[in-house]
Every structure is written in C-alpha cells, then in structure tokens.
Amino acid sequence: MEPVYLTFILMLSIFVGFELITKVPATLHTPLMSGANAISGVTVVGAISLAGTGQQDLANWLGAAAVALASINVVGGYMVTDRMLAMFKKKGA
Amino acid sequence: MSGLAIQMAYVVAAALFIFGLKLLGSPASARRGNLLSAVGMLLAVVAALLDQGIVEYQWILLGFAVGGVIGAAAARLVQMTSMPEMVALFNGFGGMASLLVGAAALGTSTATFTLVTIVLSILIGGLTFTGSLVAWGKLSEKIGSGAIMFSGQKIVNSLIVLAILASAVMFCLQPENLNWLFLLIALSLLFGVMAVIPIGGADMPVVISLLNSYSGLAACAAGFAVNNNILIVAGALVGAAGIILTQIMCKAMNRSLSNVLFSGFGSVKTTATVIEGEIKPISSDDAFYVLEAATNVAIIPGYGMAVAQAQHAVKELCELLENNGAEVNFGIHPVAGRMPGHMNVLLAEADVPYDQLLEMDDINPRMENVDVAIVIGANDVVNPAAREVESSPIYGMPVIDVASARTVFVLKRSMASGFAGIENPLFYKDNTRMLFGDAKETINALIREFS
C-alpha cells in the first residue's frame, strides 16, 4: 500500500507544480529557478534522519556530508533569491 | 514529538512551499513568497530534528555549520553576472546530496521498491552532480564552452546506458554486495559528464533548467527511498518547475528537447548564404545625433551586455534618453543570456523598472514605431535569417524583429559571429549601423555626448 500512497502524492504534487509555475512571468524566471533550487535542498530533511540515527559509521558520514551539501543549497539558494528579488522594482518606487 | 505531529509539520511545510511558489507569480509579491518558502523549509528541518529516531546531533550540526557558511558566503559574494554559474553549481550540490541520501538509505530496507528508488536517487543525483559541474565549467569558461564531440560518441553513450541498466538490476538482486552500489555511483557520475559535454554554450539556458528539474527529481526519488512525504512533494514541485522552464526555453529556440540533448548547433551543416549589402560602421558622435532626435527607443540586450558588465551604463543612457523626451523600452528574448530570465536580473540590478522590460511577443508589434533599436551584444536572438533564410540552422526560431525599426545600432566587439556561429544578415541591412567596441565603453561614450 505504501508505494501506491507515495505515488499518489507524487502525481498530485506534479500537477500542482505545473499549475503554479506556468503562471510565473519571464521576468522572474531566474529567481524562480534559484528559489526552486533552494526547495530541492529539502533533501536535507532526509539527510538529517540518516545522520543522527547513531547506527553505522558509514551512514553517519554519508548523512553528515549530505546535510552539508544540502544546506549549501538551502541557505545559499534562499539568500541569493532574496537578494535578486529585492532588486525588482516598479517604476517610481 | 510524536510521529503524527511531525507528519503534520511536513504537511504545513508543503503548503508553505506551494503558497510561496504561487506568490512568485508576480514581482510585487515574489519576495514574500520566497520568505514563506524559507519558513516552510525551516519548519521541515526542525520537525526532522525533533524526530524520536535522532539520537546523535553532532554530525548534523557539523554538516549544517559547514554547508550554511559556504552557502551564505556564496550567496552574498556572487556577482549578478555570474548567476548562471552559481545556480548550476548549487544544482550539482543538491544532486550530490540526494545521491548520498540514497546510498545511506541502503540497509534501512531491502524491499524491491525501496531498492529501485535508491537506484533512481543515485542515478539522477549522480548525473545531476557531474552534469552541473560540466555546465558550471562551461559557463565560467574554465573549460571550452563549445560542444565536445568525438567519433563513436553514440556507441560509448549507449554502452554506458546498458552498463547502468545491468548494474541497477544486479544491485536490486544482490543489495548486500556493495560493489554494485559503487559501480552504479561511478557510472551515474560518468553519464552526467557524457550527457553535458556535447551541448554548446548557446543551449545552456535549456541545460540549466533541465538540471534544475533533475535536482528536484533526485530529491523526490530520495524521498521514496527514505519514505518521506515532504521530500516527494517538494522534489516534485521543483521537478515540474524545471520541466516547464525547459519547455519554454526550447520553444523560444524552436527546437525540441531531444534536438538540444542529442545534437549541438555546431553539428548542423552551415550552407554559405550569400548576403547582399555592406557593413556600415558609425562613430559614437554620429550615433548621438540620431539618438537625440529619437522619440522611441528600444534596447535589446544579450550576453554581450553581461560580459561587458554594461547594465549600469545602459540604465544611465536610458535615463538620459527619457529626460530628452524619448520613450525607452527593453526587448527581452527568452533565451538571451545563459539562463532563463538572465537579462531581467541584470537590468533589475541596475534599477531598471520591470514594467519597462517587454517580452518578445509584446515588443515585436511595436517595432515599426521604434526610431532607434539598440542591440547590445545580442546576435542570434535578433537574426532575421531565422525568418527569411530557410537553409539557416536557426530558421523558424522566433526572434526580436529589430530590422523593422527605422534605425538599428548594433553594439559589437568585432564582426565575429554569435554563439550559434551563424552569419547575421541584419548587420548588412540598409538601416543598420555598427558601433564597434566594448559595449560598456561605447555606451559611456554616448553618455558623455549627452552630458
């Protein structure tokens, strides 16, 4: 049952994603991309659960490395997106 | 924290991601959207940390500290002109993280479904990692930006795919034999390199958005491997975003995705087209007189503007023209630059208001009323051969129709052809004048004439 349930979630998320992103104007495509990139750093959640279980050494190491790489993505991605978006201004604003 | 509370926190985080993406739909609300999405991420991370299974925090904190510092420093220090490189590099890190999560998930379960998802997260993550590194190398010109082709490339690539399939099957049959895992990782890394080296620099907007999509799909596959909903939802959102951008970029170049992935522009045979007319250079003082009399000006930026870092000078010229009573607009081609929306970011950095930036379809009908169209370091996106010359490799690609403006100024360093390596008949048209030199210096010369 579990695989079916997860696939169901996957399918719905893809539809939501398509709906949302087709509405983003060309002006915002670069921030969209770096923002989406930051979201893909959500792997950090998976990495956390593996790094802290206190089981084998190898899993710990891999988990810690994954946490580090994914945090670069998350922290860097959100910060740089914010920096870009702060520059977009309306005329006269 | 109980399992149910953690799952609920993930649900809220997913809702925040979705709402954040929705707010990204307009420049006015986009910054709030990004913040909301970041709050969602924080919530997901905190929920994961409170999981009962977590007993050792030192590894996690070490990872956070290292990654956070690197990420924050990179985000603060990067130049806006280097944004494509940085997004490519970040994509790669995301892919690698998913590969590691996939590999580390081995041992949690030996169900076939889990093993298949582990294979997928390793495969997609690995190819995203090395593919992104190659894209980063090409964009930052650490390696040549041209397409790298060799004879027998198709055979080699087919063999790699077969080897991946074989090792994936063997891994699922014998998950306890780690050699299959290592082989799979090595092959996926190799495959990423092979997939991106034959793609030339002009196609980079497509590659970057495709890799962005892959980094999401890798996170999604890792989510299946470790049985985590938030990874699946967020990964799928990113995957969808990347696919849509890829589609938009392909449409803007009138090419199919398979066309971009399996053949470079370079491989298309270039038939020598005979171009009538002659090149007419113009000096900046003569250009100034034409501009001073203009009441409607359109500026078409390209990668050349990014290279010359000319965006601030362009903004200054734009203001001078407006003070002189002219209407100034920017025409932005979807694939101008090296990533989707690259020009918009550069112009935003120079404080050009976003309602002055027009997309190709909006500016083309207005071109007939434009007195002067200024093309800054853009070649292929204004090439009329795409409309007129059927034998041209870019025939059919939608372009900005600058030739119908009364006068066209082309700012260019030399007569070398653009990234696609095709001659541009625009330069030989009667109403075109060439302003040779570095874009920034040329524009500064024009600014000096005004003041």
Side-chain angles (χ1 to χ4, degrees):
Chain A
M1 194 54 207
E2 187 81 334
V4 179
Y5 156 73
L6 292 176
T7 315
F8 204 62
I9 293 179
L10 172 69
M11 190 194 71
L12 288 175
S13 313
I14 291 174
F15 274 103
V16 171
F18 274 114
E19 276 305 309
L20 288 174
I21 284 133
T22 39
K23 298 202 175 70
V24 176
T27 302
L28 292 175
H29 278 166
T30 299
L32 166 69
M33 196 171 258
S34 66
N37 191 30
I39 296 180
S40 78
V42 73
T43 308
V44 73
V45 170
I48 287 170
S49 53
L50 291 166
T53 44
Q55 290 172 348
Q56 316 129 321
D57 278 346
L58 186 65
N60 277 340
W61 270 104
L62 292 178
V67 169
L69 287 168
S71 344
I72 295 181
N73 232 353
V74 170
V75 176
Y78 280 119
M79 279 180 64
V80 85
T81 309
D82 187 64
R83 208 181 124 195
M84 270 191 268
L85 290 172
M87 301 184 314
F88 282 87
K89 288 188 195 81
K90 239 190 147 73
K91 198 161 191 170
Chain B
M1 206 150 120
S2 75
L4 183 67
I6 288 172
Q7 292 304 321
M8 286 313 287
Y10 286 157
V11 172
V12 176
L16 287 170
F17 287 150
I18 290 170
F19 203 59
L21 281 175
K22 188 174 158 55
L23 290 182
L24 263 179
S26 144
S29 60
R31 206 173 174 197
R32 235 174 329 130
N34 186 55
L35 190 68
L36 223 52
S37 160
V39 171
M41 184 64 76
L42 184 68
L43 185 64
V45 167
V46 171
L49 287 174
L50 293 177
D51 196 320
Q52 283 166 332
I54 308 282
V55 287
E56 288 185 21
Y57 284 91
Q58 68 269 37
W59 293 104
I60 301 174
L61 292 176
L62 183 72
F64 269 140
V66 173
V69 168
I70 296 175
R76 292 203 69 124
L77 298 177
V78 67
Q79 296 240 336
M80 285 299 149
T81 37
S82 322
M83 203 49 78
E85 288 98 295
M86 206 184 72
V87 170
L89 206 55
F90 279 1
N91 266 336
F93 292 152
M96 192 62 187
S98 298
L99 182 151
L100 293 177
V101 170
L106 187 66
T108 53
S109 157
T110 49
T112 315
F113 181 76
T114 311
L115 291 175
V116 170
T117 57
I118 287 176
V119 167
L120 282 176
S121 62
I122 288 175
L123 204 56
I124 306 174
L127 96 89
T128 308
F129 178 63
T130 48
S132 299
L133 286 188
V134 174
W136 169 76
K138 286 194 176 201
L139 288 166
S140 56
E141 281 168 24
K142 297 224 174 355
I143 53 177
S145 62
I148 299 171
M149 310 270 209
F150 56 87
S151 61
Q153 198 161 18
K154 280 190 180 136
I155 300 169
V156 173
N157 287 348
S158 315
L159 286 176
I160 295 176
V161 172
L162 283 177
I164 286 175
L165 285 175
S167 54
V169 171
M170 289 312 292
F171 170 77
C172 290
L173 293 176
Q174 305 177 337
E176 67 285 346
N177 186 345
L178 286 182
N179 287 333
W180 297 119
L181 176 76
F182 296 139
L183 184 62
L184 201 59
I185 292 176
L187 285 170
S188 71
L189 295 175
L190 178 64
F191 190 61
V193 175
M194 298 305 286
V196 180
I197 54 167
I199 302 175
D203 288 325
M204 275 304 146
V206 178
V207 176
I208 302 277
S209 42
L210 195 64
L211 287 169
N212 191 37
S213 176
Y214 287 167
S215 75
L217 295 177
C220 199
F224 275 101
V226 297
N227 237 323
N228 190 312
N229 291 339
I230 191 73
L231 260 65
I232 296 176
V233 173
L237 289 175
V238 177
I243 292 287
I244 289 176
L245 286 178
T246 309
Q247 207 186 6
I248 293 172
M249 295 303 118
C250 282
K251 225 185 208 166
M253 296 196 296
N254 189 37
R255 307 172 71 195
S256 69
L257 184 57
S258 62
N259 205 286
V260 175
L261 294 181
F262 301 116
S263 75
F265 253 119
S267 64
V268 184
K269 55 181 184 302
T270 39
T271 41
T273 39
V274 186
I275 299 171
E276 311 248 320
E278 54 178 328
I279 298 273
K280 292 171 287 290
I282 189 173
S283 65
S284 49
D285 17 321
D286 289 339
F288 163 70
Y289 292 115
V290 180
L291 273 179
E292 204 197 11
T295 54
N296 194 332
V297 178
I299 299 177
I300 292 84
Y303 189 58
M305 184 185 80
V307 173
Q309 303 252 24
Q311 63 272 30
H312 295 281
V314 169
K315 163 70 178 169
E316 212 180 324
L317 179 66
C318 170
E319 271 177 355
L320 288 167
L321 288 167
E322 282 178 330
N323 292 341
N324 193 34
E327 184 192 338
V328 184
N329 282 304
F330 289 80
I332 314 282
H333 192 280
V335 291
R338 290 292 177 273
M339 74 184 292
H342 191 192
M343 293 299 123
N344 302 75
V345 168
L346 291 184
L347 292 170
E349 188 201 6
D351 273 338
V352 175
Y354 61 78
D355 34 18
Q356 232 167 322
L357 311 181
L358 301 180
E359 287 176 39
M360 177 169 62
D361 295 337
D362 297 325
I363 194 134
N364 274 347
R366 303 188 190 195
M367 262 312 165
E368 286 182 4
N369 303 320
V370 168
D371 296 316
V372 184
I374 308 176
V375 178
I376 307 173
N379 276 301
D380 306 323
V381 298
V382 293
N383 193 339
R387 291 166 189 258
E388 295 158 5
V389 187
E390 255 176 80
S391 63
S392 169
I394 59 165
Y395 182 71
M397 166 174 156
V399 289
I400 296 187
D401 185 22
V402 289
S404 41
R406 280 179 204 112
T407 310
V408 184
F409 289 157
V410 179
L411 273 61
K412 216 170 152 13
R413 272 188 293 202
S414 69
M415 276 311 292
S417 46
F419 232 100
I422 337 165
E423 276 281 4
N424 193 335
L426 172 73
F427 306 154
Y428 302 86
K429 296 230 178 212
D430 285 338
N431 56 343
T432 303
R433 299 288 178 275
M434 307 297 291
L435 268 164
F436 288 115
D438 177 79
K440 195 172 174 181
E441 279 159 27
T442 311
I443 294 168
N444 280 331
L446 286 172
I447 292 170
R448 278 195 297 277
E449 296 276 348
F450 265 99
S451 44

